[in-house]
Amino acid sequence: MPEISQLSGPEAVRVGFYVCHCGTNIAGTVDVKALAGYAASLPRVAVSREYKYMCSDPGQALIEQDIADHKLNRVVVASCSPLLHEATFRRALGRAGLNPFLLQMVNIREHVSWVHLDKKAATEKAQDLVRAAVQRVALHKPLQKRRVDINPSVLVVGGGIAGIHAALTLAEAGKQVYLVEREPTIGGHMAMFDKTFPTLDCAACILTPKMTAVGSHPNIKLWTYSEVVKVDGYVGNYKAQVKHKPRYVIDDLCIGCQECIAACVYKEGKTPDEFNLGLSMRKPIYLPFPQAVPQKVVIDRDTCIEFKSGKCKKTCVEACGDRLAIDFKQKETFDEIEIGAIILATGFKTFAPERNPYCGYGRYPNVYTSLEVERLINASGPTAGEVILRDGKKPASVGIIHCIGSRDANTNRWCSKVCCMYSLKLAHLIKEHTGAEVFNFYIDMRTPGKGYEEFYDRLLDEGVHFVRGRVAEVSDWAVHPSEEGKLVIRAEDTLAGFVRRIPVDMVVLSVGLEPQSDAQDVRRLFNISCASEGWFLERHPKLAPVSTFTEGVYIAGACQGPKDIPDSVAQAGAAAAEALALIDAKSVELEPYTASILEEECSGCKSCISLCPYQAIAFIEEKKKAYINEVLCKGCGTCVAGCPSGSIKQNFFEDEEIFEEIEGVLAYA
Amino acid sequence: MLSRQPSASETSQAKFEPRIVAFFCNWCTYLAADLAGTSRMKYAPNVRVVRLMCSGRVDPQFVLDAFAHGADGVFIGGCHPGDCHYQEGNYKTLKRYHLLKRVLKEMGIEEDRFRLEWISAAEADRVRTAINQMVEKVRDLGPLNLELKDLENAYAEEVLV
Amino acid sequence: MKYAYYPGCSLRGTGRAYEESLLAAFRLLDVEVEEIDDWNCCGATTYMSVDELTSYALASRNLALAERDHSEIIAPCAACYLVLNKTQHYIRDYPDIKLVVNRALDTIGLKYRDKVKVRHPLDVLLNDVGPEAIAAKVKVPLNGLKIAPYYGCQIVRPYSTFDDQGDPTSMERLLEACGAKTVRYPLKTTCCGGSQKGTLPEVGLDLIHYLLSEAQKNGAEVITTVCPLCQFNLESFQKEAGERHRQTAVPVLYFSQLLALALGAPADTIGLQRGFVPIRPVFAKKEIAYA
């Protein structure tokens, strides 16, 4: 281990120390004056200062000035998490002509002042951390970031409104876009809606043109019924493998005439239609909905007779005639693509109301989810836009229950954000379609947004009833003759102060939004994180809402958290802009934290080779030494820890640097 | 929930404040500790965090070095199995952890002084409870009284093996 | 496998009929149970509301005793079942509670290891014995006796481990295996009023009335329960509830009484004589030839 004294002499280490008050965020709990005084007493510290906001321009200027005035060659900043401002202070060093990696940050906000109450203990902890940083920084070496070229193509995963908008934005900017959607059509949830709040414009009218644009854009390669199965590489240079599931219809040959559907040996559909949520039936060969993009039919092998018995008359093939688009032998195929950035717009799923045993879903036929009612109201839906019950009758009274699977300690704690507004929309539409008495049962009415509160006011004027109270249960238990044959909603009306029983013909459950059931698999695939509820985690909740902790991977829409259409589109635009900013820079700098072999000490034992998940370590037979390919190395340091002869070093995390830090925090004794 | 009141005997005892060195990976546990901060959770001030890119960077020597220089406990935090930012660094950590546990046992260092936790970026609360638990346990064990000389001998032997 | 058996106080008091009939049914179905030696109060009701920690300590002593020789413990009383379950959940979820509980147990040389599974008799009968095995052993078919199955709150909420929280059906499946018919009963998990009867008697009586009248409206000749408090509450205040609502009487039994009867247990050994509302006229009407 090199002694620090070796570093003294003509090129003596001169450390500048800066502690940030962060207003009262740090200074309220850590005695910053004492900390600066303590740092000044440490060996090799030439300057020690405290300042209200180190990250401000004057704060940074202070460092730059000191570097010049005091010939500093190392800097320690004690402030917030390095993940927030390490880059800021590194730039300051750079401006002052010092290598940016001669900086060490001490996290005394997130790890000290915000998590401790006792000022004395917090200050002592800060002192330990500062001492460790001052010792460590002495060993820091100048490092250079690597620059790599960026592939200008972008992969967009998910073809809902967010994915569509991001793909179109990028394509319009002239970038090659791969849009991958796992369903047979793009459109996502928005395609299922009838109207959109608060303007009540028709969802299909505003979505379909965008879907068509995606389908025909020369810069967009649209892959539906496909999934990304493998992702490799790093920012600017990702490789992805895309699996195309067989639709048993050859994309290029199918013209979307749908004659095969009419000709299917099934006269009537027998399979619950996914797009109509099982409210209607479809055949084994089908088009998900009339405006589907692409207009290519798909065969469901689980219900198709040919797949079950091999003895079907294959009337569909007959109908297709010499177009020869149907191919029962189709196999899944794969494509490998190279892209510079990735946008994830994988959306959400709705809460399954069976999980709330008191709302009667699945037990009483006239209890519907909000999404099912969207389909009932929709003119292209299973009832051609008529709101009718399963027995064909028109409901005379309807209860809409908010917060099913939201704001509920037993299921999901979060507010799903869109339900109040879509419940108001459904109330309006149901009233318009049926003239029924409509009751909204809500906990709190949440309508922040442009034109949203006004829409609520409008509904109040339209005579929709609002009961403020969480519904206890939906049952068919009749106490009074007027309740016989009805569904009774029981709720405590917290404004009136008593329990109400309201009999209705139809119950609509305003189900909340949840992460997709495979969100965890997807985030592993793309190497990003999820928040504890399962939503994809953004890099910063306020200032980097569409970035992730993996450079070059962005998130947009409801996969990041519940949001409505305007927010999803705004995020999609933001993600597209972030991706453009990245790829238009043509090249990107990578952290220099890579590992390298100290050849003279390498014994050629090969222990390190199997430790590397990126195959970055090779063995050079002639020399009998290991060799690390710096381009492939991602800088985890696992091989460094595993080398028995200590002959691998990792930049910025060298053994000596870490030993100094360990001994530094413990040196009080 | 319940906040455990310290018993009279605990408060009257001379206050032993254990020193614990923690190695947190940059992508999961360090982020979780940051989140604990932004969420203003409160926990015991006894832990000093050393940030590494991956828990796989934790060289067994770091742990031994920490004990040798007066740490009363060592805590390693990494991503959950399957969630490693570097694919499988945390599996290597786990292997080394089991090996180290045996070594430490032979050196007479109690099991509770060495802990490995998988804590994802979202699990701030887990940072808080794990640190609090560990501090409690190490406080109960008391200071680690290793004769430094013996330790260095033992350490040298282990390294030779 | 032999199950540990935890009777709790009610089954030795107002709920004697529950224990008599349940143990008889277990014997006839070859379900082996062994009463925990030196069991104590489960920690329900008063303790739980006054001092939670003491309650967890009490419950965990029973669990610690059971897990010495057994991997599963049967707790027939709904309150015991809930408290034992709740204790396990809380000890798992809150390390502070685990610490305190084990400190308490340590003073009497016990340790809770979380090795024992808490089971309800319905769960054991349905999932370990099975309705087919029960049907095969029925000696006295219940001849379509119309039953309103009433579960109450505690065995389904909040830890519905073996049945649906809102619409449990295990009692239906068991009793139908014995030849009974169950009627639609939407109030099967609604509060019995047991807790209100002492503090807000009118509310309690209204609830009792709703439960009884809904059962009768749907054609039930008898209501079956799984909880000593529900049974006591629904049966004992029928006169008072009747005065308020012109309610006619309906027998309220433990499900186990009908089960044991169907399996051939003599009527006078399964507590049928203990009811306030006579059941024998109903059996006579249905021509049930009980022993």
Side-chain angles (χ1 to χ4, degrees):
Chain A
M1 209 181 292
E3 289 299 316
I4 288 174
S5 54
Q6 291 171 1
L7 296 165
S8 55
E11 285 197 79
V13 168
R14 295 177 62 77
V15 179
F17 173 77
Y18 303 87
V19 54
C20 178
H21 296 201
C22 196
T24 54
N25 280 310
I26 292 171
T29 314
V30 172
D31 185 342
V32 285
K33 282 204 167 48
L35 191 60
Y38 175 76
S41 74
L42 292 170
R44 292 181 297 279
V45 173
V47 182
S48 176
R49 295 187 197 278
E50 24 121 1
Y51 189 71
K52 209 158 178 67
Y53 290 105
M54 279 313 298
C55 63
S56 66
D57 282 350
Q60 295 182 51
L62 193 64
I63 299 178
E64 290 168 47
Q65 195 59 47
D66 279 353
I67 291 174
D69 294 352
H70 295 272
K71 301 193 170 31
L72 301 179
N73 53 18
R74 299 290 189 282
V75 173
V76 172
V77 180
S79 58
C80 51
S81 171
L83 299 169
L84 269 180
H85 275 310
E86 194 170 51
T88 312
F89 295 117
R90 279 182 178 170
R91 278 195 298 271
L93 263 66
R95 283 195 299 273
L98 209 55
N99 183 283
F101 293 90
L102 298 173
L103 167 81
Q104 176 70 9
M105 280 191 74
V106 188
N107 186 348
I108 58 167
R109 193 178 73 173
E110 282 83 347
H111 287 197
V112 181
S113 67
W114 277 350
V115 289
H116 305 315
L117 291 169
D118 179 28
K119 198 160 180 173
K120 184 166 164 281
T123 307
E124 276 171 15
K125 179 172 173 180
Q127 284 177 352
D128 288 352
L129 295 171
V130 164
R131 188 177 50 237
V134 168
Q135 283 184 215
R136 181 196 212 274
V137 82
L139 297 176
H140 280 204
K141 299 191 176 87
L143 297 170
Q144 296 306 324
K145 284 195 172 188
R146 293 171 291 155
R147 195 162 263 288
V148 293
D149 289 341
I150 289 181
N151 182 317
S153 314
V154 182
L155 165 65
V156 178
V157 186
I161 182 60
I164 288 173
H165 187 76
L168 282 173
T169 308
L170 290 160
E172 285 298 310
K175 306 298 170 197
Q176 170 68 48
V177 179
Y178 300 93
L179 177 58
V180 178
E181 164 61 51
R182 71 170 155 198
E183 299 300 326
T185 172
I186 55 170
H189 280 99
M190 187 176 169
M192 300 166 92
F193 303 159
D194 181 51
K195 301 283 193 298
T196 54
F197 60 76
T199 46
L200 295 177
D201 39 3
C202 131
C205 312
I206 56 177
L207 178 64
T208 320
K210 296 194 82 148
M211 289 168 63
T212 322
V214 165
S216 59
H217 204 292
N219 290 343
I220 298 180
K221 182 77 209 162
L222 172 61
W223 281 323
T224 56
Y225 221 36
S226 301
E227 285 175 34
V228 178
V229 290
K230 202 174 159 209
V231 181
D232 280 326
Y234 51 92
V235 55
N237 295 275
Y238 286 108
K239 279 197 189 79
Q241 191 181 45
V242 181
K243 178 175 88 180
H244 308 294
K245 294 177 273 189
R247 57 201 309 150
Y248 304 108
V249 170
I250 300 164
D251 267 18
D252 297 341
L253 300 180
C254 175
I255 57 162
C257 67
Q258 304 178 44
E259 281 172 31
C260 50
I261 303 178
C264 177
V265 294
Y266 279 109
K267 291 272 179 298
E268 297 289 330
K270 287 201 169 154
T271 310
D273 185 332
E274 294 85 355
F275 191 75
N276 282 333
L277 303 159
L279 294 169
S280 66
M281 297 293 169
R282 63 156 173 82
K283 297 180 178 181
I285 187 161
Y286 66 103
L287 191 68
F289 61 101
Q291 299 88 358
V293 171
Q295 285 272 312
K296 313 280 178 196
V297 300
V298 54
I299 296 176
D300 167 12
R301 68 171 294 151
D302 294 335
T303 51
C304 171
I305 294 186
E306 178 61 17
F307 281 106
K308 283 203 275 194
S309 67
K311 286 183 193 146
C312 184
K313 282 191 283 182
K314 288 184 262 192
T315 43
C316 55
V317 177
E318 254 171 61
C320 193
D322 53 11
R323 288 188 288 270
L324 298 169
I326 296 176
D327 175 9
F328 290 108
K329 295 206 165 58
Q330 211 174 51
K331 294 268 175 307
E332 59 184 26
T333 57
F334 294 88
D335 262 302
E336 306 272 345
I337 53 171
E338 294 186 356
I339 58 265
I342 298 170
I343 295 176
L344 297 177
T346 51
F348 64 93
K349 72 172 162 62
T350 50
F351 174 79
E354 292 88 345
R355 282 171 59 200
N356 178 336
Y358 309 109
C359 64
Y361 187 79
R363 209 164 352 132
Y364 307 118
N366 292 333
V367 179
Y368 293 82
T369 68
S370 43
L371 203 53
E372 287 170 340
V373 175
E374 292 276 0
R375 296 309 301 149
L376 287 181
I377 295 175
N378 195 300
S380 68
T383 55
E386 271 201 87
V387 180
I388 44 173
L389 300 170
R390 287 186 215 266
D391 59 7
K393 284 192 195 132
K394 225 178 217 184
S397 50
V398 179
I400 301 178
I401 305 177
H402 293 218
C403 298
I404 299 293
S406 305
R407 305 184 70 196
D408 178 356
N410 292 319
T411 54
N412 300 326
R413 283 177 180 273
W414 60 83
C415 167
S416 293
K417 203 171 172 185
V418 295
C419 319
C420 280
M421 281 307 291
Y422 80 57
S423 300
L424 291 175
K425 175 191 75 179
L426 290 177
H428 169 85
L429 294 172
I430 290 171
K431 210 167 171 59
E432 186 181 81
H433 282 238
T434 62
E437 288 297 321
V438 181
F439 299 86
N440 270 266
F441 297 84
Y442 66 98
I443 305 177
D444 294 294
M445 193 56 82
R446 295 187 166 178
T447 58
K450 196 174 174 186
Y452 290 10
E453 184 70 12
E454 293 89 324
F455 189 68
Y456 176 31
D457 281 346
R458 174 179 164 183
L459 267 283
L460 288 168
D461 286 343
E462 283 177 7
V464 171
H465 307 286
F466 289 89
V467 179
R468 184 177 179 273
R470 219 180 121 121
V471 168
E473 66 168 6
V474 173
S475 81
D476 61 353
W477 167 49
V479 172
H480 190 264
S482 66
E483 297 174 352
E484 291 292 345
K486 303 243 182 197
L487 291 169
V488 179
I489 300 175
R490 214 152 56 89
E492 182 183 0
D493 186 329
T494 54
L495 295 179
F498 59 89
V499 175
R500 295 179 71 165
R501 297 173 57 88
I502 297 182
V504 293
D505 294 327
M506 179 188 206
V507 170
V508 181
L509 305 176
S510 296
V511 287
L513 272 50
E514 282 188 336
Q516 292 275 16
S517 39
D518 59 351
Q520 295 289 343
D521 300 333
V522 172
R523 72 157 178 97
R524 281 193 188 120
L525 186 63
F526 293 95
N527 209 3
I528 63 168
S529 302
C530 278
S532 53
E533 308 86 15
W535 304 106
F536 293 160
L537 190 66
E538 62 284 342
R539 193 178 185 102
H540 191 278
K542 284 130 202 151
L543 302 180
V546 298
S547 304
T548 66
F549 285 99
T550 301
E551 294 283 340
V553 177
Y554 306 98
I555 49 179
C559 60
Q560 181 261 352
K563 52 183 66 67
D564 57 14
I565 295 168
D567 284 1
S568 296
V569 171
Q571 269 207 345
E578 294 275 358
L580 278 175
L582 173 75
I583 55 186
D584 274 354
K586 307 272 192 294
S587 64
V588 64
E589 283 187 325
L590 300 181
E591 293 293 354
Y593 303 154
T594 49
S596 56
I597 305 277
L598 304 167
E599 262 195 23
E600 58 279 17
E601 283 168 38
C602 174
S603 65
C605 73
K606 301 186 188 173
S607 316
C608 54
I609 291 174
S610 65
L611 291 177
C612 181
Y614 304 106
Q615 287 86 44
I617 313 180
F619 188 69
I620 302 173
E621 281 298 337
E622 308 86 74
K623 293 192 190 167
K624 302 274 181 236
K625 306 275 183 194
Y627 166 77
I628 296 177
N629 181 338
E630 212 191 5
V631 176
L632 295 177
C633 174
K634 296 211 178 184
C636 63
T638 305
C639 60
V640 191
C643 176
S645 60
S647 54
I648 311 181
K649 77 175 177 85
Q650 183 187 10
N651 289 335
F652 206 73
F653 292 95
E654 292 189 24
D655 281 351
E656 290 73 20
E657 291 168 344
I658 297 165
F659 281 130
E660 269 316 310
E661 194 173 343
I662 296 168
E663 289 160 27
V665 292
L666 294 166
Y668 76 106
Chain B
M1 259 323 295
L2 302 171
S3 55
R4 202 179 67 84
Q5 297 298 318
S7 67
S9 65
E10 278 168 345
T11 43
S12 65
Q13 265 171 16
K15 272 221 172 165
F16 162 58
E17 288 299 340
R19 290 271 162 144
I20 293 168
V21 174
F23 299 99
F24 284 176
C25 82
N26 186 60
W27 303 99
C28 289
T29 314
Y30 196 87
L31 277 178
D34 275 3
L35 182 60
T38 38
S39 314
R40 310 297 199 277
M41 291 175 175
K42 302 293 176 231
Y43 56 81
N46 305 59
V47 172
R48 310 286 182 260
V49 177
V50 174
R51 178 171 70 116
L52 300 169
M53 294 311 280
C54 177
S55 61
R57 177 67 184 93
V58 180
D59 192 318
Q61 294 189 57
F62 297 166
V63 177
L64 299 173
D65 189 64
F67 281 122
H69 284 85
D72 301 301
V74 174
F75 185 121
I76 302 175
C79 307
H80 284 271
D83 289 0
C84 179
H85 190 80
Y86 302 102
Q87 297 184 11
E88 49 197 38
N90 53 357
Y91 292 123
K92 311 290 190 280
T93 315
L94 184 63
K95 280 190 187 172
R96 289 173 192 151
Y97 170 74
H98 286 305
L99 195 71
L100 261 170
K101 272 183 92 150
R102 275 171 41 199
V103 173
L104 293 175
K105 198 176 167 194
E106 283 171 23
M107 296 167 102
I109 295 176
E110 296 90 339
E111 208 175 332
D112 283 341
R113 294 188 188 274
F114 183 42
R115 178 167 180 153
L116 172 66
E117 281 283 330
W118 308 131
I119 302 178
S120 83
E123 294 174 313
D125 194 48
R126 206 151 152 172
V127 169
R128 181 173 65 116
T129 46
I131 286 181
N132 281 343
Q133 277 173 19
M134 178 145 184
V135 170
E136 272 302 300
K137 279 186 178 162
V138 176
R139 202 195 302 277
D140 285 350
L141 288 171
L144 177 64
N145 287 321
L146 284 182
E147 281 297 321
L148 204 57
K149 242 184 209 166
D150 290 352
L151 178 69
E152 274 174 352
N153 288 339
Y155 170 39
E157 275 167 36
E158 288 296 334
V159 172
L160 285 175
V161 173
Chain C
M1 186 185 71
K2 218 182 229 181
Y3 301 89
Y5 171 64
Y6 175 72
C9 65
S10 293
L11 271 70
R12 296 288 152 87
T14 53
R16 274 169 75 184
Y18 193 5
E19 175 165 72
E20 289 163 350
S21 57
L22 184 68
L23 292 181
F26 279 162
R27 267 194 302 279
L28 293 163
L29 292 167
D30 304 318
V31 175
E32 284 190 89
V33 295
E34 185 177 25
E35 187 172 322
I36 303 172
D37 183 37
D38 195 30
W39 54 268
N40 53 264
C41 167
C42 72
T45 54
T46 337
Y47 268 122
M48 199 46 106
S49 42
V50 176
D51 181 357
E52 270 185 75
L53 273 180
T54 309
S55 171
Y56 296 131
L58 284 167
S60 61
R61 179 173 179 275
N62 292 319
L63 293 168
L65 288 172
E67 66 185 12
R68 288 190 303 196
D69 300 315
H70 300 279
S71 59
E72 302 196 353
I73 175 172
I74 295 180
C77 166
C80 303
Y81 175 76
L82 175 64
V83 170
L84 295 180
N85 252 310
K86 180 175 174 180
T87 301
Q88 290 198 318
H89 274 86
Y90 275 62
I91 289 180
R92 268 170 223 157
D93 293 348
Y94 301 103
D96 310 20
I97 295 181
K98 185 177 176 180
L99 195 80
V100 176
V101 160
N102 269 325
R103 271 189 198 164
L105 290 180
D106 193 44
T107 60
I108 47 167
L110 281 174
K111 184 172 164 61
Y112 173 67
R113 294 186 168 81
D114 197 3
K115 293 265 187 258
V116 68
K117 195 172 168 198
V118 182
R119 309 277 312 264
H120 191 270
L122 280 179
D123 178 17
V124 169
L125 290 166
L126 201 68
N127 298 314
D128 295 5
V129 181
E132 299 79 19
I134 290 171
K137 288 193 176 171
V138 166
K139 292 207 177 68
V140 184
L142 296 179
N143 290 352
L145 177 69
K146 287 191 193 151
I147 297 172
Y150 176 67
Y151 295 81
C153 57
Q154 301 193 94
I155 72 162
V156 286
R157 283 193 295 263
Y159 310 114
S160 54
T161 47
F162 64 94
D163 209 335
D164 187 89
Q165 234 181 57
D167 186 21
T169 53
S170 35
M171 223 184 317
E172 281 93 320
R173 283 176 277 167
L174 278 180
L175 293 172
E176 279 167 13
C178 301
K181 272 212 166 62
T182 52
V183 301
R184 198 184 70 87
Y185 195 43
L187 303 183
K188 55 170 81 162
T189 61
T190 301
C191 173
C192 73
S195 307
Q196 280 81 9
K197 188 65 193 65
T199 47
L200 295 165
E202 311 77 42
V203 175
L205 287 174
D206 281 355
L207 280 164
I208 293 166
H209 161 69
Y210 285 140
L211 288 169
L212 298 174
S213 61
E214 182 67 15
Q216 286 175 312
K217 198 171 91 186
N218 293 325
E221 293 159 306
V222 54
I223 297 175
T224 55
T225 72
V226 289
C227 170
L229 181 62
C230 298
Q231 196 280 337
F232 176 79
N233 201 50
L234 286 183
E235 199 190 40
S236 314
F237 301 106
Q238 293 200 2
K239 193 158 162 268
E240 278 178 81
E243 279 162 12
R244 263 170 85 83
H245 294 284
R246 267 168 277 144
Q247 169 77 51
T248 51
V250 53
V252 182
L253 298 182
Y254 294 100
F255 80 97
S256 51
Q257 290 179 285
L258 289 178
L259 177 66
L261 186 90
L263 293 168
D268 53 0
T269 64
I270 54 174
L272 284 173
Q273 75 283 10
R274 298 190 194 279
F276 291 158
V277 184
I279 182 71
R280 286 169 207 253
V282 181
F283 289 158
K285 194 179 122 204
K286 304 298 279 192
E287 298 176 351
I288 295 170
Y290 58 87

